[in-house]
Amino acid sequence: MNAAAVPQASPPASELASGPAFSNKGQILAWAAWDWGSAAFNAVMTTFVFTVYLTSSAFGGEDAASAALGGALSIAGIAIALLAPVTGQRSDAGGRRKLWLGVNTAAVAVLTALCFFVFPKPEFLLLGVSLIALGNVFFEFAGVNYNAMLAQISTPKNIGKVSGFGWGMGYLGGIVALLAVLQLFVQPSFEWFGAATQDGLNIRLVAVFSALWFFIFALPVLFAVPELSVKMDGARLGFIASYGLLFRRVMAIYRTSPHTIFFLLASAIFRDGLAAVFTFGGVIAAGTFGFELKEVIFFAIFGNVVAAVGAVIGGFLDDRIGPKAVIVGSLVGLLVAGTSILVLGNGNYTFFGNAWAGSTTFWVFGLLLCLFVGPAQSSSRAYLARLAPDGESGELFGLYATTGRAVSFLAPALFTLCIAVATPLVAQGEAQRWGILGIMVVLLTGLLVMLPVKPPGKTQIAVVPQH
């Protein structure tokens, strides 16, 4: 394939190759600070604290509240899948990548702060789930522009290291934010008005804390990284017309750089498996291995530290052996660690005269899972950034978000299916462990689809039409 495949197209060039010859350490630190701050929304609001509050009995019962939250997040996922590529495309074309990163980040912060008004009463459930769902939509939009900035602040020689550093900062930021929330609001170390539990004040103040945390740490990138230059000439397309251009560009990418599309499909599958490792890790720790809540929290903290270390190490390897090798190696490591947990379960064993308890199995192989998740996530972002045509990173990362959302049902569905199939066949309390098999199937499928995909160095940059 060559440039002639798309009439009137410019010679193919990547945004990374046309970027700066040297990295600015200040810009990298400012960029990674956004990842650090965003953990307050990811870890605190949507994973461990506020959604747990929203699905409590105070909002009309756990089942009804959980169903309402799930429905709201499903609608948000559909909105993200439909809108993310076009929002990325339009920020690229208008030279407003940083502007829209700021606007969407501010929207997330405002929506998070408004969660303060979600009182623990059933009539506030709709408000709560709506704010969280809208926050997720704007967070993904911000993430599209944030990921697209990777090519602006890195070079072909250090992009893997920079991406890994960002992921590592995100993991560590989540730990610090969670510890602060636990010490100040959830299990306060000293008496103050924010520790009061009446009307859920302490948890509602967690929302204010998370909003400020995210907003403050998001500011540096908005000052340190320059705005994208305007790319589009002539009249700008209307919003609906942007979808026509998106379709033409996707077809052009497939014709001139098919392995870019193949990677988007492969990564969508294995990224769903990676997400499931964290989503169901705590559930399996408690249900299968009998961990108490305190033990689950301790494991989450250690797991995030290990994931951060893995992301940084994976970033160094990415620049030396390439992102595909890191991704494939990480997926193999995940399959080995996950299969070990599945096979050993919560049984007690003796190896070389030493006792091996079920809890040891989960700590050892669970932390190995965390170690390999970070590099796979980081190198996936760096892989795509290397393939983004000049000025098209936002649109491509929008497609990255869309494809991920399109298959996000796979791991949860197979996790549930495997448990349902195993329930009548195994002893009571043993079926949940077999849910791990569903996650491993998704990761294995992603690995098999990924294997024939060419590394970025052997993949031509796509030629895309400008209008």
Side-chain angles (χ1 to χ4, degrees):
M1 293 295 179
N2 52 47
V6 180
Q8 299 179 339
S10 303
S14 71
E15 186 166 322
L16 179 66
S18 62
F22 302 97
S23 292
N24 182 303
K25 290 183 179 179
Q27 290 183 354
I28 293 173
L29 288 172
W31 178 80
W34 190 95
D35 240 330
W36 173 284
S38 70
F41 183 77
N42 278 329
V44 177
M45 294 299 293
T46 64
T47 304
F48 292 111
V49 181
F50 199 81
T51 50
V52 174
Y53 166 71
L54 268 183
T55 53
S56 66
S57 58
F59 289 90
E62 290 87 345
D63 292 342
S66 297
L69 178 63
L73 291 177
S74 296
I75 295 172
I78 294 171
I80 292 164
L82 292 175
L83 297 174
V86 169
T87 56
Q89 174 200 110
R90 293 173 72 83
S91 65
D92 284 343
R96 295 178 177 176
R97 182 177 292 169
K98 184 171 71 171
L99 170 65
W100 286 110
L101 172 61
V103 169
N104 289 312
T105 298
V108 175
V110 170
L111 290 165
T112 301
L114 288 174
C115 288
F116 174 79
F117 299 102
V118 180
F119 289 85
K121 299 177 182 179
E123 56 265 32
F124 287 92
L125 175 62
L126 180 59
L127 173 63
V129 298
S130 298
L131 290 172
I132 291 295
L134 279 172
N136 269 274
V137 172
F138 286 105
F139 183 83
E140 287 286 351
F141 291 169
V144 166
N145 289 292
Y146 173 75
N147 288 333
M149 274 188 176
L150 177 60
Q152 291 178 248
I153 62 165
S154 59
T155 69
K157 292 183 178 180
N158 70 0
I159 185 172
K161 188 190 305 181
V162 172
S163 182
F165 177 66
W167 273 107
M169 287 284 281
Y171 286 127
L172 294 178
I175 296 169
V176 176
L178 278 172
L179 288 174
V181 164
L182 285 171
Q183 293 297 313
L184 292 175
F185 305 101
V186 179
Q187 294 178 344
S189 300
F190 55 91
E191 289 295 325
W192 70 296
F193 78 93
T197 58
Q198 185 176 0
D199 287 332
L201 178 63
N202 60 330
I203 304 301
R204 291 188 294 117
L205 284 174
V206 165
V208 178
F209 169 86
S210 299
L212 290 173
W213 179 280
F214 189 14
F215 183 75
I216 290 171
F217 285 107
L219 288 176
V221 70
L222 302 179
F223 291 100
V225 179
E227 184 58 279
L228 189 69
S229 59
V230 178
K231 174 174 166 285
M232 182 180 289
D233 297 324
R236 297 190 63 185
L237 291 176
F239 189 80
I240 301 300
S242 296
Y243 283 93
L245 178 58
L246 174 65
F247 177 77
R248 294 193 296 275
R249 284 179 169 172
V250 170
M251 295 307 298
I253 291 172
Y254 180 74
R255 289 195 298 270
T256 60
S257 183
H259 284 266
T260 299
I261 301 296
F262 298 158
F263 172 73
L264 285 171
L265 297 176
S267 70
I269 298 171
F270 69 70
R271 282 186 291 132
D272 187 44
L274 299 178
V277 170
F278 276 113
T279 301
F280 297 110
V283 174
I284 293 170
T288 299
F289 292 87
F291 279 33
E292 299 292 335
L293 178 60
K294 184 193 300 186
E295 293 176 294
V296 173
I297 293 175
F298 275 124
F299 180 84
I301 292 171
F302 280 105
N304 274 274
V305 171
V306 170
V309 172
V312 173
I313 294 174
F316 278 93
L317 292 174
D318 184 302
D319 291 325
R320 286 159 176 75
I321 64 176
K324 180 181 177 179
V326 173
I327 293 170
V328 170
S330 297
L331 292 177
V332 171
L334 285 161
L335 288 168
V336 171
T339 302
S340 299
I341 295 175
L342 174 63
V343 172
L344 295 176
N346 197 26
N348 296 316
Y349 305 92
T350 301
F351 295 114
F352 304 105
N354 296 311
W356 181 283
S359 59
T360 304
T361 295
F362 191 81
W363 272 102
V364 171
F365 293 107
L367 290 179
L368 271 178
L369 284 171
C370 296
L371 180 68
F372 290 116
V373 165
Q377 291 175 320
S378 171
S379 287
S380 295
R381 177 166 65 184
Y383 191 113
L384 192 61
R386 288 179 169 95
L387 295 178
D390 189 17
E392 304 289 335
S393 288
E395 184 175 70
L396 202 57
F397 274 107
L399 289 171
Y400 188 66
T402 292
T403 52
R405 289 286 177 169
V407 302
S408 60
F409 66 92
L410 280 177
L414 287 177
F415 179 82
T416 304
L417 176 63
C418 287
I419 293 176
V421 171
T423 297
L425 303 176
V426 299
Q428 186 175 359
E430 288 290 319
Q432 188 195 64
R433 170 162 60 106
W434 289 93
I436 300 171
L437 179 61
I439 300 174
M440 294 301 103
V441 169
V442 174
L443 290 172
L444 177 60
T445 303
L447 172 62
L448 294 177
V449 177
M450 182 69 194
L451 285 176
V453 178
K454 292 181 180 179
K458 297 181 179 180
T459 302
Q460 180 175 320
I461 303 301
V463 182
V464 295
Q466 301 303 309
H467 304 288

